[in-house]
């Protein structure tokens, strides 16, 4: 169980991959059985423990549950990562939302909106003179979360390295999470900073959207930054900090993705994540810089070829159009059972914006779908009760009609991205990338 994080919750508990995204919600009995397994107890020891907690009238049933839970924790790869984090046990499923965790498992924290670049796709419109919270405000959230253990905490912006007090902030954040991640453009990393980053950060997400100087600096909006980005990458790799290259597909790189792949491999990057743009913030004013759906469909053979060619070169490679199958296979109408639907947004993960509000995930950063301010002891209150969070935990499949009748729902997309749906209409709109629904 070293690869799993077990945390007690008001409804029972949660079991999660430490370095992954899969999650199991457990009822009270399930939590206690898993707790016993985690402690290396024998079957008899677990049964006696369960008897001390609950009125047990069926010992054979408990024995069977112990076997099932041992099998579960030994076969993480078989966990269902599909349509719902929460297996609703109630008869009245319509009124049973996904329960709120006592605190998120995954936190994305914009510690500044200031940035030294001016990227064409920036979904939260960061800039040189933008806002950032005070140390006192940051400390108030750190103090509130000090008694919980996060699975991951991603420090983002803006550009986090614009803050001269970043080392102090990371020192506060380090004890809060199993995995501490820095999201950066890499241009401000130097020998002095990398010396302490290597001791405090588990990995770095580094944005690299072109493999050559001209395209990179046009897309990123500042001259003289391509070499600085590569220098930052080199320094991190030299210090054995795992680096995940993050690339957004655009007209500036669609025909030179292999150039980025080669550069990343030669310089020692661990993984490569290639995404489609999110049309929020600055990207909405630069839509001409990105490919249309039809253009992406035409490029899918190229993306598939690159994926196959470079898959073995990275620990993780994600590249392609998520809904390409929806343009190749006919829509099949079926009758599905209604159920709760959710990605991690607002259920196990949350974004803390630089302004101090919570949003279900980073893709909601440029929207009004947020909580009230969380400074000075209000983080956990807003996490549990903010309307945006409760709404994400109450989403129902039958509210998205075409998804409700789609045979590919569970095995393919689980209704797609609700943030992209929100940006194109509302939470119950269809994901704009799906060919069946648009």
């Amino acid at each position: 169980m070293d690869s799993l994080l077990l945390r007690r919750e008001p409804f029972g508990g949660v079991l999660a991959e430490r370095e992954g995204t899969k999650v199991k919600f457990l009822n009270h009995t399930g939590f206690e059985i898993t707790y016993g397994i985690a402690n290396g107890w024998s079957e008899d020891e677990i049964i006696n423990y369960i008897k001390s907690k609950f009125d047990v009238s069926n010992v054979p049933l408990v024995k069977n549950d112990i076997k099932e839970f041992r099998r579960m924790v030994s076969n993480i790869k078989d966990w269902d990562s599909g349509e719902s984090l929460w297996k609703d046990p109630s008869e009245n499923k319509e009124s049973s939302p996904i329960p709120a965790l006592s605190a998120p498992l995954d936190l994305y924290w914009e510690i500044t909106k200031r940035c030294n670049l001016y990227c064409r796709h920036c979904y939260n419109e960061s800039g040189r003179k933008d806002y950032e919270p005070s140390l006192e405000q940051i400390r108030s959230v750190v103090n509130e979360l000090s008694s919980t253990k996060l699975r991951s905490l991603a420090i983002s912006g803006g550009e986090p390295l614009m803050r001269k007090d970043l080392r102090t902030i990371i020192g506060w954040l380090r004890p809060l999470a199993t995995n501490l991640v820095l999201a950066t453009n890499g241009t401000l990393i130097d020998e002095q900073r990398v010396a302490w980053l290597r001791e405090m950060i588990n990995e770095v997400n580094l944005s690299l959207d072109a493999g050559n100087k001209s395209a990179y600096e046009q897309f990123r909006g500042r001259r003289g930054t391509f070499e600085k980005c590569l220098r930052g990458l080199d320094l991190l790799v030299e210090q054995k900090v795992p680096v995940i290259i993050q690339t957004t597909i655009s007209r500036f790189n669609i025909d030179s993705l292999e150039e980025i792949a080669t550069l990343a491999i030669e310089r020692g990057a661990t993984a490569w994540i290639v995404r489609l743009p999110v049309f929020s913030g600055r990207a909405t004013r630069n839509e001409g810089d990105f490919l249309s759906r039809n253009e992406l469909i035409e490029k899918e053979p190229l993306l598939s070829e690159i994926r196959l060619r470079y898959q073995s070169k990275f620990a993780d490679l994600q590249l392609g159009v998520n809904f390409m199958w929806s343009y190749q296979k006919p829509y099949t109408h079926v009758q599905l059972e209604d159920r709760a639907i959710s990605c991690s947004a607002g259920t196990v993960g949350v974004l803390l914006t630089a302004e101090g509000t919570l949003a279900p995930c980073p893709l909601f950063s440029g929207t009004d779908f947020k909580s009230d301010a969380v400074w000075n002891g209000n983080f956990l209150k807003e996490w549990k009760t903010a309307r945006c969070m409760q709404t994400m935990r109450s989403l129902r499949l039958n509210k998205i009609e075409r998804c409700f009748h789609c045979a590919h729902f569970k095995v393919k997309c689980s209704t797609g991205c609700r943030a992209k749906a929100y940006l194109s209409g509302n939470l119950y709109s269809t994901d704009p990338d799906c060919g069946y629904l648009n």
Side-chain angles (χ1 to χ4, degrees):
M1 294 228 355
D2 290 343
S3 63
L4 296 173
L5 172 67
L6 181 65
R7 198 173 79 184
R8 191 180 295 276
E9 295 292 339
F11 54 82
V14 64
L15 183 65
E17 289 183 293
R18 289 185 182 275
E19 297 182 4
T21 59
K22 292 183 177 180
V23 177
K24 287 283 188 182
F25 280 49
L26 308 172
N27 62 21
H28 290 287
T29 306
F31 176 84
E32 302 301 351
I33 289 174
T34 308
Y35 178 79
I37 294 171
N39 282 285
W41 296 349
S42 68
E43 181 181 88
D44 287 342
E45 287 173 319
I46 295 175
I47 291 173
N48 289 333
Y49 176 69
I50 295 298
K51 285 181 176 179
S52 73
K53 292 280 186 178
F54 309 103
D55 182 13
V56 177
S57 59
N58 191 336
V59 172
L61 181 60
V62 176
K63 287 184 177 181
N64 184 67
D65 285 345
I66 293 171
K67 290 179 182 178
E68 289 299 318
F69 276 89
R70 287 194 191 279
R71 187 178 300 113
M72 179 187 73
V73 300
S74 300
N75 294 280
I76 303 171
K77 61 181 177 58
D78 295 331
W79 289 13
D80 178 16
S81 58
E83 77 283 358
S84 180
L85 299 169
W86 173 244
K87 302 305 181 184
D88 190 347
S90 69
E91 293 183 4
N92 186 11
K93 298 184 188 308
E94 192 66 34
S95 62
S96 180
I98 296 172
L101 299 181
S102 57
L105 281 173
D106 305 316
L107 173 61
Y108 307 87
W109 195 338
E110 296 173 352
I111 62 168
T112 183
K113 286 285 290 293
R114 292 195 299 134
C115 188
N116 60 321
L117 304 185
Y118 196 78
C119 305
R120 294 172 181 263
H121 68 314
C122 183
Y123 60 78
N124 66 12
E125 301 214 52
S126 296
R128 284 187 180 273
K129 297 182 179 180
D130 222 313
Y131 176 82
E132 65 186 22
S134 68
L135 281 176
E136 291 74 19
Q137 289 171 321
I138 291 173
R139 186 73 209 185
S140 73
V141 175
V142 171
N143 289 341
E144 191 176 359
L145 295 179
S146 62
S147 62
T148 191
K149 190 67 174 181
L150 302 171
R151 173 171 60 180
S152 68
L153 198 166
I155 304 165
S156 66
E159 170 50 55
L161 286 162
M162 291 284 283
R163 294 196 65 130
K164 297 184 184 300
D165 52 12
L166 179 61
R167 186 174 183 178
T168 297
I169 295 170
I170 292 179
W172 293 346
L173 300 182
R174 176 66 272 182
L176 298 182
T178 300
N179 298 305
L180 193 61
V181 181
L182 177 68
T184 176
N185 60 45
T187 61
L188 300 179
I189 294 175
D190 55 24
E191 289 85 352
Q192 183 179 5
R193 287 179 171 131
V194 80
W196 54 263
L197 280 173
R198 70 179 182 181
E199 303 296 333
M200 305 176 80
I201 295 292
N202 293 99
E203 64 185 28
V204 167
N205 285 334
L206 189 145
S207 300
L208 182 63
D209 298 291
N212 64 81
K213 177 181 175 67
S214 175
Y216 176 93
E217 294 181 359
Q218 286 185 68
F219 190 74
R220 289 277 160 180
R222 294 284 185 262
R223 294 180 179 178
T225 52
F226 180 62
E227 291 85 358
K228 292 179 180 178
C229 174
L230 297 187
R231 178 59 176 158
L233 170 58
D234 290 342
L235 287 170
L236 290 166
V237 173
E238 286 172 10
Q239 296 300 323
K240 300 187 180 343
V241 179
V243 177
I244 301 171
I245 298 296
Q246 300 279 350
T247 300
T248 299
I249 292 176
S250 73
R251 297 190 189 282
F252 292 86
N253 62 25
I254 187 62
D255 293 317
S256 58
L257 288 172
E258 289 195 73
E259 190 175 28
I260 302 174
T262 300
L263 186 154
I265 293 166
E266 291 178 347
R267 292 178 181 260
T270 304
W272 185 31
I273 311 298
V274 185
R275 306 179 187 278
L276 297 179
V278 176
F279 288 103
S280 177
R282 205 170 293 139
T284 60
R285 301 196 299 275
N286 295 309
E287 288 193 33
D289 291 334
F290 306 101
L291 280 69
S292 68
R293 182 189 303 147
N294 288 337
E295 288 174 313
L296 283 168
I297 293 170
E298 292 176 0
K299 293 294 184 181
E300 174 59 18
L302 169 65
L303 300 179
S304 296
E305 180 183 345
I306 294 173
R307 188 189 311 110
L308 290 172
R309 184 177 303 168
Y310 294 101
Q311 194 83 53
S312 63
K313 306 293 184 181
F314 296 99
D316 185 25
L317 190 157
Q318 299 175 28
L319 186 153
V321 181
N322 293 339
F323 284 92
M324 183 51 54
W325 49 269
S326 69
Y327 300 96
Q328 300 167 342
K329 298 179 181 179
Y331 177 86
T332 303
H333 185 281
V334 297
Q335 181 62 54
L336 298 173
E337 180 183 358
D338 188 32
R339 66 195 75 186
I341 57 168
S342 183
C343 61
S344 64
T347 55
V348 300
V350 72
L351 167 73
L352 174 52
T353 70
E355 294 81 7
T357 58
L358 297 182
C361 82
L363 301 189
F364 286 101
S365 178
T367 75
D368 58 357
F369 196 58
K370 298 174 184 174
S371 74
D372 291 335
V374 304
W375 311 129
N376 302 317
N378 291 307
F379 182 98
L380 293 178
K381 170 180 170 290
E382 293 297 326
W383 159 253
K384 295 172 187 175
T385 65
R387 184 176 180 182
C388 58
M389 300 301 155
Q390 293 185 336
T391 299
M392 292 302 296
R393 297 170 194 142
S394 303
L395 296 175
R396 307 299 304 188
L397 177 59
N398 66 358
K399 297 291 184 67
I400 311 172
E401 185 175 356
R402 292 276 284 174
C403 296
F404 185 39
H405 294 289
C406 180
H408 301 288
F409 157 73
K410 182 174 180 179
V411 296
K412 291 292 187 181
C413 70
S414 301
T415 77
C417 177
R418 293 298 89 206
K420 285 189 174 183
Y422 186 87
L423 289 166
S424 65
N426 60 62
L427 281 176
Y428 292 104
S429 297
T430 56
D431 187 315
D433 291 333
C434 181
Y436 290 152
L437 311 173
N438 298 279

